[in-house]
Amino acid sequence: MNRILLRGGRLLDPAGERDGPGDVLIENGRIAAVDADIRADDAEVIDAAGRWVAPGFVDLHTHLREPGHEYKEDIASGGRAAVAGGFTAVACMANTNPVNDDPSVTDYILDRGHQDSPARVYPIAAATRGLRGEIMTEMDALVRAGAVAFSDDGATIMDSGVMRRVLEYSRLAGVPIVVHAEDRTLVGNGVVNEGAVSTRIGLPGNPAIAEAVMVARDLMLAELTGAHLHVAHVSTAGAVDLIRAARGRGVHVTAEVTPHHLVLTDEATAGYDTNTKVAPPLRSLADRNACRAALCEGTLDAIATDHAPHAEHEKDVEFTAAPPGLIGFETAFAVVLDLVRSGELEPLELVRRLSTEPARILGQLGGSLAVDAPADVVVLDPAAEWTYDPAKGYSKSRNSPWSGKTLTGRVIATFVAGRLVYSEERGVLFP
Ligand code: NCD
């Protein structure tokens, strides 16, 4: 029998509203007991003193690039990077090649996920065929195949009539629509946030209003249809205000924010580092602070990495030509700990936004240390300092703005279904 005792950690279980010292006993893939002082003589004991023990993180928004772009990432490498970052489950976007707009692709991703990835993999299927924003996908068949949500992430569905129907059918299918909300006509050829920085550095600006306009439309259509709208990677104060007001009216809306939009601003783009080029762009300080406040108050429900690997030869070009996106799994925890250090967020609330809330939004298990729950668990050291070198990480790509930076906060161990799949000392233990 496989029994593991995590002894003497600070237990952070948002689902059970628990924050305090205790032990966790893992048995046969499940959480068998959570208590002040568990005796389990035959169990393997892991000393968690001085550490946080929390439900594994759940990433609502990732790009695993398989099928089709395996030179950037695949499900095996992405899954390894995920557990090294404390993520026990990741939802992956449909902008693969072929696009995940057909149950055969959803099947393939699930198969590869089961075989190749230490983290659980949840496919998000395309909302429209080929992500072209024109013809809806067969939502029922995709949900039956295992899709957990629909999204044309990377592309906004500009046709409001199509968007309305997509929302209507997603409601029938019982899953959320995840929107990349940027009005393409307002984005134009913008590559950084439109403002003083874009003017100073002479790069075309992508205005904050491009996001707010599209969020406003999508919230109105969600209100009309009663569908569950999930707004991806919110980056502006305008979008935050719209989401808050809509939620107040009873609109079924949830929203996520990325670590990079919580911590960085458009000043980071001033050195023309293409690893700071991302969609939506890094915004002004006022926008960033509005996103932080909105995450703390709960208007933004979850943190999602938008892990978006790109190869070195693709990023090693002039800023305007580089594809947007940055990798995020292995740095996420250390980066968002900034909100705890600043006093804005309690550790329990941070874990809620990394684990419990994203699991709830996806309608999947996870985010809980309750007895009998699957033992998806992470052990964290909030004080450990380390220097991030993407070349030593598990992703195939290295496009991170934190490359070479010293970070505080480290993942010590990750368990998926009771199995140790990552330890700081031994690395990823899979298969
Ligand atoms: C995404 C990617 O690389 O797939 N990039 C990103 O900057 N978020 C797609 C996209 O949203 O443009």
Side-chain angles (χ1 to χ4, degrees), residues 374-422:
D376 290 6
V377 180
V378 64
V379 180
L380 305 158
D381 184 342
E385 274 197 9
W386 57 294
T387 301
Y388 176 54
D389 176 1
K392 297 205 176 104
Y394 289 90
S395 175
K396 286 190 185 179
S397 292
R398 297 175 184 186
N399 51 309
S400 167
W402 288 285
S403 180
K405 297 272 187 324
T406 297
L407 302 173
T408 306
R410 200 131 207 214
V411 177
I412 300 298
T414 308
F415 297 86
V416 176
R419 175 169 169 192
L420 181 67
V421 287
Y422 172 78

mmCIF file of all heavy atoms in Angstrom, residues 374-422:
data_model
loop_
_atom_site.group_PDB
_atom_site.id
_atom_site.type_symbol
_atom_site.label_atom_id
_atom_site.label_comp_id
_atom_site.label_asym_id
_atom_site.label_seq_id
_atom_site.Cartn_x
_atom_site.Cartn_y
_atom_site.Cartn_z
ATOM 1 N N PRO A 374 -8.985 13.427 -4.512
ATOM 2 C CA PRO A 374 -7.761 12.932 -5.145
ATOM 3 C C PRO A 374 -6.559 13.679 -4.562
ATOM 4 O O PRO A 374 -6.643 14.884 -4.346
ATOM 5 C CB PRO A 374 -7.932 13.287 -6.624
ATOM 6 C CG PRO A 374 -9.367 13.653 -6.804
ATOM 7 C CD PRO A 374 -9.913 14.036 -5.471
ATOM 8 N N ALA A 375 -5.482 12.951 -4.288
ATOM 9 C CA ALA A 375 -4.325 13.578 -3.636
ATOM 10 C C ALA A 375 -3.470 14.324 -4.654
ATOM 11 O O ALA A 375 -2.352 13.927 -4.984
ATOM 12 C CB ALA A 375 -3.523 12.541 -2.873
ATOM 13 N N ASP A 376 -4.009 15.422 -5.156
ATOM 14 C CA ASP A 376 -3.259 16.379 -5.970
ATOM 15 C C ASP A 376 -2.807 17.461 -4.999
ATOM 16 O O ASP A 376 -3.608 18.301 -4.562
ATOM 17 C CB ASP A 376 -4.151 16.996 -7.058
ATOM 18 C CG ASP A 376 -4.527 15.999 -8.146
ATOM 19 O OD1 ASP A 376 -4.204 14.813 -8.005
ATOM 20 O OD2 ASP A 376 -5.162 16.418 -9.136
ATOM 21 N N VAL A 377 -1.531 17.422 -4.658
ATOM 22 C CA VAL A 377 -1.052 18.226 -3.528
ATOM 23 C C VAL A 377 0.293 18.842 -3.890
ATOM 24 O O VAL A 377 1.105 18.227 -4.599
ATOM 25 C CB VAL A 377 -0.880 17.334 -2.269
ATOM 26 C CG1 VAL A 377 -0.379 18.151 -1.087
ATOM 27 C CG2 VAL A 377 -2.192 16.634 -1.907
ATOM 28 N N VAL A 378 0.510 20.037 -3.384
ATOM 29 C CA VAL A 378 1.802 20.683 -3.617
ATOM 30 C C VAL A 378 2.399 21.129 -2.277
ATOM 31 O O VAL A 378 1.670 21.544 -1.378
ATOM 32 C CB VAL A 378 1.633 21.844 -4.635
ATOM 33 C CG1 VAL A 378 0.749 22.950 -4.089
ATOM 34 C CG2 VAL A 378 2.960 22.405 -5.074
ATOM 35 N N VAL A 379 3.717 20.971 -2.163
ATOM 36 C CA VAL A 379 4.450 21.444 -0.983
ATOM 37 C C VAL A 379 5.329 22.600 -1.443
ATOM 38 O O VAL A 379 6.065 22.476 -2.433
ATOM 39 C CB VAL A 379 5.315 20.313 -0.368
ATOM 40 C CG1 VAL A 379 6.068 20.814 0.863
ATOM 41 C CG2 VAL A 379 4.447 19.097 -0.018
ATOM 42 N N LEU A 380 5.235 23.717 -0.731
ATOM 43 C CA LEU A 380 5.866 24.955 -1.189
ATOM 44 C C LEU A 380 6.751 25.546 -0.114
ATOM 45 O O LEU A 380 6.422 25.460 1.086
ATOM 46 C CB LEU A 380 4.764 25.984 -1.524
ATOM 47 C CG LEU A 380 3.716 25.523 -2.522
ATOM 48 C CD1 LEU A 380 2.437 26.351 -2.379
ATOM 49 C CD2 LEU A 380 4.261 25.627 -3.942
ATOM 50 N N ASP A 381 7.847 26.156 -0.538
ATOM 51 C CA ASP A 381 8.678 26.919 0.386
ATOM 52 C C ASP A 381 8.586 28.384 -0.029
ATOM 53 O O ASP A 381 9.183 28.792 -1.034
ATOM 54 C CB ASP A 381 10.135 26.433 0.323
ATOM 55 C CG ASP A 381 11.001 27.153 1.347
ATOM 56 O OD1 ASP A 381 10.576 28.229 1.830
ATOM 57 O OD2 ASP A 381 12.094 26.658 1.652
ATOM 58 N N PRO A 382 7.842 29.185 0.742
ATOM 59 C CA PRO A 382 7.639 30.581 0.324
ATOM 60 C C PRO A 382 8.876 31.453 0.510
ATOM 61 O O PRO A 382 8.908 32.571 0.001
ATOM 62 C CB PRO A 382 6.495 31.052 1.240
ATOM 63 C CG PRO A 382 6.597 30.183 2.450
ATOM 64 C CD PRO A 382 7.127 28.858 1.985
ATOM 65 N N ALA A 383 9.888 30.934 1.214
ATOM 66 C CA ALA A 383 11.056 31.772 1.517
ATOM 67 C C ALA A 383 12.282 31.428 0.679
ATOM 68 O O ALA A 383 13.256 32.180 0.674
ATOM 69 C CB ALA A 383 11.394 31.654 3.002
ATOM 70 N N ALA A 384 12.243 30.317 -0.036
ATOM 71 C CA ALA A 384 13.441 29.865 -0.749
ATOM 72 C C ALA A 384 13.782 30.793 -1.916
ATOM 73 O O ALA A 384 12.924 31.129 -2.729
ATOM 74 C CB ALA A 384 13.243 28.444 -1.266
ATOM 75 N N GLU A 385 15.030 31.170 -1.998
ATOM 76 C CA GLU A 385 15.502 31.998 -3.124
ATOM 77 C C GLU A 385 16.171 31.115 -4.153
ATOM 78 O O GLU A 385 16.905 30.185 -3.800
ATOM 79 C CB GLU A 385 16.535 33.006 -2.614
ATOM 80 C CG GLU A 385 15.916 34.259 -2.095
ATOM 81 C CD GLU A 385 16.947 35.389 -1.986
ATOM 82 O OE1 GLU A 385 18.086 35.241 -2.471
ATOM 83 O OE2 GLU A 385 16.580 36.413 -1.400
ATOM 84 N N TRP A 386 15.957 31.415 -5.395
ATOM 85 C CA TRP A 386 16.600 30.645 -6.464
ATOM 86 C C TRP A 386 16.702 31.525 -7.700
ATOM 87 O O TRP A 386 16.012 32.532 -7.837
ATOM 88 C CB TRP A 386 15.808 29.365 -6.763
ATOM 89 C CG TRP A 386 14.362 29.600 -7.150
ATOM 90 C CD1 TRP A 386 13.380 30.107 -6.339
ATOM 91 C CD2 TRP A 386 13.753 29.361 -8.417
ATOM 92 N NE1 TRP A 386 12.188 30.178 -7.028
ATOM 93 C CE2 TRP A 386 12.387 29.724 -8.306
ATOM 94 C CE3 TRP A 386 14.210 28.858 -9.642
ATOM 95 C CZ2 TRP A 386 11.476 29.624 -9.377
ATOM 96 C CZ3 TRP A 386 13.309 28.746 -10.697
ATOM 97 C CH2 TRP A 386 11.955 29.120 -10.556
ATOM 98 N N THR A 387 17.614 31.149 -8.571
ATOM 99 C CA THR A 387 17.778 31.917 -9.805
ATOM 100 C C THR A 387 17.206 31.104 -10.956
ATOM 101 O O THR A 387 17.558 29.928 -11.131
ATOM 102 C CB THR A 387 19.270 32.241 -10.029
ATOM 103 O OG1 THR A 387 19.728 32.990 -8.895
ATOM 104 C CG2 THR A 387 19.474 33.079 -11.290
ATOM 105 N N TYR A 388 16.325 31.724 -11.698
ATOM 106 C CA TYR A 388 15.624 31.007 -12.764
ATOM 107 C C TYR A 388 16.445 30.984 -14.041
ATOM 108 O O TYR A 388 16.835 32.027 -14.563
ATOM 109 C CB TYR A 388 14.272 31.672 -13.019
ATOM 110 C CG TYR A 388 13.492 31.066 -14.169
ATOM 111 C CD1 TYR A 388 13.231 29.694 -14.208
ATOM 112 C CD2 TYR A 388 13.000 31.849 -15.205
ATOM 113 C CE1 TYR A 388 12.517 29.130 -15.252
ATOM 114 C CE2 TYR A 388 12.274 31.299 -16.250
ATOM 115 C CZ TYR A 388 12.044 29.934 -16.268
ATOM 116 O OH TYR A 388 11.335 29.381 -17.298
ATOM 117 N N ASP A 389 16.685 29.774 -14.524
ATOM 118 C CA ASP A 389 17.363 29.594 -15.809
ATOM 119 C C ASP A 389 16.473 28.695 -16.661
ATOM 120 O O ASP A 389 16.406 27.487 -16.430
ATOM 121 C CB ASP A 389 18.733 28.947 -15.578
ATOM 122 C CG ASP A 389 19.439 28.648 -16.895
ATOM 123 O OD1 ASP A 389 18.871 28.967 -17.962
ATOM 124 O OD2 ASP A 389 20.551 28.089 -16.848
ATOM 125 N N PRO A 390 15.785 29.279 -17.645
ATOM 126 C CA PRO A 390 14.857 28.467 -18.443
ATOM 127 C C PRO A 390 15.550 27.288 -19.121
ATOM 128 O O PRO A 390 14.921 26.255 -19.364
ATOM 129 C CB PRO A 390 14.297 29.439 -19.489
ATOM 130 C CG PRO A 390 14.747 30.788 -19.113
ATOM 131 C CD PRO A 390 15.800 30.690 -18.054
ATOM 132 N N ALA A 391 16.838 27.410 -19.381
ATOM 133 C CA ALA A 391 17.558 26.302 -20.025
ATOM 134 C C ALA A 391 17.609 25.078 -19.119
ATOM 135 O O ALA A 391 17.769 23.951 -19.590
ATOM 136 C CB ALA A 391 18.977 26.737 -20.395
ATOM 137 N N LYS A 392 17.477 25.306 -17.831
ATOM 138 C CA LYS A 392 17.489 24.190 -16.878
ATOM 139 C C LYS A 392 16.068 23.748 -16.534
ATOM 140 O O LYS A 392 15.883 22.839 -15.724
ATOM 141 C CB LYS A 392 18.224 24.586 -15.612
ATOM 142 C CG LYS A 392 19.684 24.918 -15.860
ATOM 143 C CD LYS A 392 20.517 24.705 -14.595
ATOM 144 C CE LYS A 392 21.983 24.943 -14.872
ATOM 145 N NZ LYS A 392 22.466 26.226 -14.359
ATOM 146 N N GLY A 393 15.094 24.404 -17.109
ATOM 147 C CA GLY A 393 13.701 24.051 -16.826
ATOM 148 C C GLY A 393 13.218 22.925 -17.728
ATOM 149 O O GLY A 393 13.989 22.342 -18.494
ATOM 150 N N TYR A 394 11.949 22.635 -17.656
ATOM 151 C CA TYR A 394 11.396 21.480 -18.370
ATOM 152 C C TYR A 394 10.699 21.860 -19.674
ATOM 153 O O TYR A 394 10.420 20.998 -20.497
ATOM 154 C CB TYR A 394 10.437 20.719 -17.452
ATOM 155 C CG TYR A 394 11.182 20.005 -16.356
ATOM 156 C CD1 TYR A 394 11.434 20.617 -15.134
ATOM 157 C CD2 TYR A 394 11.695 18.732 -16.573
ATOM 158 C CE1 TYR A 394 12.154 19.968 -14.147
ATOM 159 C CE2 TYR A 394 12.414 18.074 -15.593
ATOM 160 C CZ TYR A 394 12.637 18.698 -14.380
ATOM 161 O OH TYR A 394 13.362 18.050 -13.418
ATOM 162 N N SER A 395 10.384 23.132 -19.852
ATOM 163 C CA SER A 395 9.759 23.533 -21.108
ATOM 164 C C SER A 395 10.780 23.427 -22.239
ATOM 165 O O SER A 395 11.985 23.569 -22.012
ATOM 166 C CB SER A 395 9.267 24.985 -21.018
ATOM 167 O OG SER A 395 8.772 25.408 -22.266
ATOM 168 N N LYS A 396 10.304 23.162 -23.449
ATOM 169 C CA LYS A 396 11.223 23.159 -24.597
ATOM 170 C C LYS A 396 11.627 24.579 -24.974
ATOM 171 O O LYS A 396 12.580 24.762 -25.736
ATOM 172 C CB LYS A 396 10.537 22.513 -25.809
ATOM 173 C CG LYS A 396 10.399 21.015 -25.718
ATOM 174 C CD LYS A 396 9.939 20.476 -27.064
ATOM 175 C CE LYS A 396 9.662 18.988 -26.987
ATOM 176 N NZ LYS A 396 9.184 18.483 -28.291
ATOM 177 N N SER A 397 10.868 25.557 -24.521
ATOM 178 C CA SER A 397 11.135 26.940 -24.912
ATOM 179 C C SER A 397 11.682 27.743 -23.734
ATOM 180 O O SER A 397 11.622 27.299 -22.588
ATOM 181 C CB SER A 397 9.861 27.584 -25.464
ATOM 182 O OG SER A 397 9.512 26.974 -26.688
ATOM 183 N N ARG A 398 12.225 28.911 -24.058
ATOM 184 C CA ARG A 398 12.932 29.684 -23.037
ATOM 185 C C ARG A 398 12.446 31.118 -22.969
ATOM 186 O O ARG A 398 13.127 31.978 -22.374
ATOM 187 C CB ARG A 398 14.420 29.665 -23.353
ATOM 188 C CG ARG A 398 14.949 28.261 -23.286
ATOM 189 C CD ARG A 398 16.379 28.131 -23.696
ATOM 190 N NE ARG A 398 16.739 26.709 -23.678
ATOM 191 C CZ ARG A 398 17.950 26.250 -23.870
ATOM 192 N NH1 ARG A 398 18.939 27.080 -24.131
ATOM 193 N NH2 ARG A 398 18.179 24.962 -23.831
ATOM 194 N N ASN A 399 11.313 31.380 -23.575
ATOM 195 C CA ASN A 399 10.859 32.770 -23.700
ATOM 196 C C ASN A 399 10.214 33.267 -22.422
ATOM 197 O O ASN A 399 9.004 33.355 -22.299
ATOM 198 C CB ASN A 399 9.906 32.913 -24.894
ATOM 199 C CG ASN A 399 8.773 31.912 -24.907
ATOM 200 O OD1 ASN A 399 8.982 30.701 -24.773
ATOM 201 N ND2 ASN A 399 7.559 32.404 -25.077
ATOM 202 N N SER A 400 11.091 33.617 -21.471
ATOM 203 C CA SER A 400 10.596 34.130 -20.191
ATOM 204 C C SER A 400 11.230 35.473 -19.876
ATOM 205 O O SER A 400 12.447 35.625 -20.000
ATOM 206 C CB SER A 400 10.937 33.167 -19.066
ATOM 207 O OG SER A 400 10.728 33.803 -17.811
ATOM 208 N N PRO A 401 10.421 36.434 -19.403
ATOM 209 C CA PRO A 401 11.007 37.711 -18.968
ATOM 210 C C PRO A 401 11.747 37.590 -17.637
ATOM 211 O O PRO A 401 12.428 38.521 -17.245
ATOM 212 C CB PRO A 401 9.785 38.635 -18.836
ATOM 213 C CG PRO A 401 8.620 37.735 -18.621
ATOM 214 C CD PRO A 401 8.947 36.445 -19.330
ATOM 215 N N TRP A 402 11.621 36.430 -16.957
ATOM 216 C CA TRP A 402 12.299 36.247 -15.671
ATOM 217 C C TRP A 402 13.597 35.458 -15.803
ATOM 218 O O TRP A 402 14.204 35.083 -14.806
ATOM 219 C CB TRP A 402 11.347 35.576 -14.665
ATOM 220 C CG TRP A 402 10.278 36.523 -14.230
ATOM 221 C CD1 TRP A 402 10.421 37.566 -13.367
ATOM 222 C CD2 TRP A 402 8.917 36.552 -14.675
ATOM 223 N NE1 TRP A 402 9.226 38.243 -13.246
ATOM 224 C CE2 TRP A 402 8.288 37.640 -14.038
ATOM 225 C CE3 TRP A 402 8.154 35.774 -15.551
ATOM 226 C CZ2 TRP A 402 6.949 37.960 -14.246
ATOM 227 C CZ3 TRP A 402 6.830 36.096 -15.758
ATOM 228 C CH2 TRP A 402 6.237 37.176 -15.119
ATOM 229 N N SER A 403 14.020 35.218 -17.014
ATOM 230 C CA SER A 403 15.258 34.500 -17.237
ATOM 231 C C SER A 403 16.427 35.209 -16.526
ATOM 232 O O SER A 403 16.621 36.418 -16.699
ATOM 233 C CB SER A 403 15.504 34.463 -18.746
ATOM 234 O OG SER A 403 16.677 33.795 -19.008
ATOM 235 N N GLY A 404 17.172 34.456 -15.704
ATOM 236 C CA GLY A 404 18.331 35.031 -15.011
ATOM 237 C C GLY A 404 17.987 35.799 -13.744
ATOM 238 O O GLY A 404 18.894 36.268 -13.055
ATOM 239 N N LYS A 405 16.711 35.916 -13.437
ATOM 240 C CA LYS A 405 16.307 36.691 -12.252
ATOM 241 C C LYS A 405 16.305 35.793 -11.002
ATOM 242 O O LYS A 405 16.018 34.599 -11.070
ATOM 243 C CB LYS A 405 14.888 37.250 -12.447
ATOM 244 C CG LYS A 405 14.769 38.225 -13.617
ATOM 245 C CD LYS A 405 15.069 39.624 -13.178
ATOM 246 C CE LYS A 405 14.836 40.720 -14.190
ATOM 247 N NZ LYS A 405 15.104 40.508 -15.586
ATOM 248 N N THR A 406 16.601 36.419 -9.876
ATOM 249 C CA THR A 406 16.494 35.709 -8.604
ATOM 250 C C THR A 406 15.069 35.862 -8.090
ATOM 251 O O THR A 406 14.541 36.977 -8.007
ATOM 252 C CB THR A 406 17.509 36.272 -7.591
ATOM 253 O OG1 THR A 406 18.810 36.033 -8.126
ATOM 254 C CG2 THR A 406 17.397 35.585 -6.243
ATOM 255 N N LEU A 407 14.450 34.720 -7.804
ATOM 256 C CA LEU A 407 13.047 34.704 -7.386
ATOM 257 C C LEU A 407 12.963 34.132 -5.977
ATOM 258 O O LEU A 407 13.832 33.366 -5.551
ATOM 259 C CB LEU A 407 12.221 33.845 -8.345
ATOM 260 C CG LEU A 407 12.252 34.250 -9.828
ATOM 261 C CD1 LEU A 407 11.531 33.214 -10.684
ATOM 262 C CD2 LEU A 407 11.620 35.630 -10.032
ATOM 263 N N THR A 408 11.892 34.478 -5.288
ATOM 264 C CA THR A 408 11.668 33.931 -3.943
ATOM 265 C C THR A 408 10.362 33.151 -3.951
ATOM 266 O O THR A 408 9.333 33.686 -4.368
ATOM 267 C CB THR A 408 11.606 35.062 -2.894
ATOM 268 O OG1 THR A 408 12.790 35.846 -3.018
ATOM 269 C CG2 THR A 408 11.515 34.489 -1.494
ATOM 270 N N GLY A 409 10.429 31.899 -3.491
ATOM 271 C CA GLY A 409 9.253 31.034 -3.481
ATOM 272 C C GLY A 409 9.480 29.865 -4.403
ATOM 273 O O GLY A 409 9.719 30.043 -5.597
ATOM 274 N N ARG A 410 9.429 28.658 -3.822
ATOM 275 C CA ARG A 410 9.830 27.506 -4.604
ATOM 276 C C ARG A 410 8.891 26.326 -4.392
ATOM 277 O O ARG A 410 8.396 26.109 -3.289
ATOM 278 C CB ARG A 410 11.239 27.099 -4.116
ATOM 279 C CG ARG A 410 11.930 26.284 -5.123
ATOM 280 C CD ARG A 410 13.263 26.597 -5.521
ATOM 281 N NE ARG A 410 13.337 26.063 -6.878
ATOM 282 C CZ ARG A 410 14.401 25.540 -7.425
ATOM 283 N NH1 ARG A 410 15.517 25.504 -6.781
ATOM 284 N NH2 ARG A 410 14.351 25.064 -8.648
ATOM 285 N N VAL A 411 8.700 25.562 -5.446
ATOM 286 C CA VAL A 411 7.925 24.329 -5.333
ATOM 287 C C VAL A 411 8.873 23.241 -4.835
ATOM 288 O O VAL A 411 9.925 23.019 -5.424
ATOM 289 C CB VAL A 411 7.314 23.947 -6.691
ATOM 290 C CG1 VAL A 411 6.561 22.626 -6.592
ATOM 291 C CG2 VAL A 411 6.387 25.062 -7.182
ATOM 292 N N ILE A 412 8.487 22.583 -3.757
ATOM 293 C CA ILE A 412 9.331 21.552 -3.147
ATOM 294 C C ILE A 412 8.914 20.163 -3.618
ATOM 295 O O ILE A 412 9.754 19.299 -3.857
ATOM 296 C CB ILE A 412 9.256 21.643 -1.607
ATOM 297 C CG1 ILE A 412 9.732 23.026 -1.137
ATOM 298 C CG2 ILE A 412 10.041 20.519 -0.942
ATOM 299 C CD1 ILE A 412 11.174 23.349 -1.484
ATOM 300 N N ALA A 413 7.617 19.943 -3.724
ATOM 301 C CA ALA A 413 7.137 18.624 -4.162
ATOM 302 C C ALA A 413 5.737 18.761 -4.745
ATOM 303 O O ALA A 413 4.953 19.609 -4.310
ATOM 304 C CB ALA A 413 7.116 17.648 -2.999
ATOM 305 N N THR A 414 5.459 17.942 -5.745
ATOM 306 C CA THR A 414 4.135 17.922 -6.363
ATOM 307 C C THR A 414 3.654 16.477 -6.444
ATOM 308 O O THR A 414 4.402 15.603 -6.918
ATOM 309 C CB THR A 414 4.186 18.538 -7.780
ATOM 310 O OG1 THR A 414 4.814 19.818 -7.718
ATOM 311 C CG2 THR A 414 2.783 18.695 -8.369
ATOM 312 N N PHE A 415 2.441 16.252 -5.992
ATOM 313 C CA PHE A 415 1.826 14.922 -6.047
ATOM 314 C C PHE A 415 0.595 14.990 -6.953
ATOM 315 O O PHE A 415 -0.222 15.905 -6.815
ATOM 316 C CB PHE A 415 1.344 14.476 -4.664
ATOM 317 C CG PHE A 415 2.446 14.328 -3.657
ATOM 318 C CD1 PHE A 415 2.888 15.427 -2.915
ATOM 319 C CD2 PHE A 415 3.039 13.098 -3.439
ATOM 320 C CE1 PHE A 415 3.907 15.294 -1.980
ATOM 321 C CE2 PHE A 415 4.061 12.956 -2.500
ATOM 322 C CZ PHE A 415 4.494 14.056 -1.777
ATOM 323 N N VAL A 416 0.474 14.038 -7.850
ATOM 324 C CA VAL A 416 -0.748 13.910 -8.645
ATOM 325 C C VAL A 416 -1.322 12.530 -8.355
ATOM 326 O O VAL A 416 -0.619 11.515 -8.505
ATOM 327 C CB VAL A 416 -0.482 14.083 -10.152
ATOM 328 C CG1 VAL A 416 -1.763 13.834 -10.960
ATOM 329 C CG2 VAL A 416 0.046 15.485 -10.444
ATOM 330 N N ALA A 417 -2.571 12.513 -7.919
ATOM 331 C CA ALA A 417 -3.230 11.260 -7.521
ATOM 332 C C ALA A 417 -2.340 10.452 -6.574
ATOM 333 O O ALA A 417 -2.202 9.242 -6.710
ATOM 334 C CB ALA A 417 -3.631 10.434 -8.749
ATOM 335 N N GLY A 418 -1.723 11.167 -5.635
ATOM 336 C CA GLY A 418 -0.941 10.506 -4.594
ATOM 337 C C GLY A 418 0.457 10.102 -5.002
ATOM 338 O O GLY A 418 1.228 9.587 -4.189
ATOM 339 N N ARG A 419 0.815 10.363 -6.230
ATOM 340 C CA ARG A 419 2.128 9.959 -6.707
ATOM 341 C C ARG A 419 3.060 11.173 -6.748
ATOM 342 O O ARG A 419 2.683 12.229 -7.273
ATOM 343 C CB ARG A 419 1.933 9.384 -8.109
ATOM 344 C CG ARG A 419 3.181 9.033 -8.810
ATOM 345 C CD ARG A 419 2.834 8.229 -10.042
ATOM 346 N NE ARG A 419 4.001 8.094 -10.877
ATOM 347 C CZ ARG A 419 3.988 7.649 -12.109
ATOM 348 N NH1 ARG A 419 2.842 7.272 -12.658
ATOM 349 N NH2 ARG A 419 5.098 7.552 -12.796
ATOM 350 N N LEU A 420 4.257 10.986 -6.196
ATOM 351 C CA LEU A 420 5.237 12.080 -6.248
ATOM 352 C C LEU A 420 5.732 12.213 -7.691
ATOM 353 O O LEU A 420 6.397 11.312 -8.207
ATOM 354 C CB LEU A 420 6.408 11.771 -5.314
ATOM 355 C CG LEU A 420 7.500 12.837 -5.251
ATOM 356 C CD1 LEU A 420 6.994 14.126 -4.611
ATOM 357 C CD2 LEU A 420 8.725 12.317 -4.486
ATOM 358 N N VAL A 421 5.375 13.314 -8.341
ATOM 359 C CA VAL A 421 5.786 13.492 -9.745
ATOM 360 C C VAL A 421 6.877 14.554 -9.896
ATOM 361 O O VAL A 421 7.493 14.678 -10.954
ATOM 362 C CB VAL A 421 4.589 13.846 -10.654
ATOM 363 C CG1 VAL A 421 3.701 12.624 -10.859
ATOM 364 C CG2 VAL A 421 3.791 15.018 -10.111
ATOM 365 N N TYR A 422 7.084 15.337 -8.837
ATOM 366 C CA TYR A 422 8.190 16.303 -8.875
ATOM 367 C C TYR A 422 8.717 16.508 -7.463
ATOM 368 O O TYR A 422 7.941 16.637 -6.515
ATOM 369 C CB TYR A 422 7.727 17.661 -9.421
ATOM 370 C CG TYR A 422 8.787 18.730 -9.291
ATOM 371 C CD1 TYR A 422 9.854 18.783 -10.171
ATOM 372 C CD2 TYR A 422 8.746 19.668 -8.259
ATOM 373 C CE1 TYR A 422 10.861 19.732 -10.028
ATOM 374 C CE2 TYR A 422 9.748 20.629 -8.110
ATOM 375 C CZ TYR A 422 10.798 20.652 -9.002
ATOM 376 O OH TYR A 422 11.790 21.594 -8.860
#
